[in-house]
Amino acid sequence: MSDARLTALLEHLTSRQWQLTGHRKTKPTVASSLEKDTWRLTDIHDKRGGAPQHLSLVAANSTPACEEAFKRAQADGIQAVQHRPRRQPRQF
């Protein structure tokens, strides 16, 4: 995927009310984080020389029901990894 196509993808998502909350460019990888309502989307574009380019899209949804399930799991002694939404742009 070219840089232009990745930029077009991010522009398309932001035009559909996805908010860009983080962006990092460290050769050979570019990563972005976006949020919309209870959803968080992370895209990672890996462009290592001599290897096929790789694009990963990871989506996660956090709702009150999900939060309650985390609380129940913790009460039962299970270590749950909880991801809290952030609204300010950040580097990751």
Side-chain angles (χ1 to χ4, degrees), residues 35-76:
E35 292 181 1
K36 181 179 180 181
D37 300 322
T38 60
W39 284 93
R40 173 171 285 194
L41 176 67
T42 302
D43 72 77
I44 303 166
H45 184 212
D46 191 7
K47 305 184 296 183
R48 296 184 192 275
Q53 292 188 25
H54 185 82
L55 177 66
S56 299
L57 297 171
V58 179
N61 190 5
S62 179
T63 63
C66 183
E67 295 291 329
E68 186 58 35
F70 278 121
K71 289 177 186 174
R72 283 194 310 271
Q74 287 176 331
D76 291 340

Side-chain angles (χ1 to χ4, degrees), residues 1 3-4 7 9 11 22-23 33 36 42-43 52 59 64 66 68-69 75-76 78 80 83-84 89-90 92:
M1 172 177 270
D3 290 341
T7 299
L9 171 65
E11 287 175 355
H23 183 79
S33 179
K36 181 179 180 181
T42 302
D43 72 77
C66 183
E68 186 58 35
D76 291 340
I78 298 170
H83 194 44
R84 298 202 184 275
R90 66 190 186 286
F92 51 94

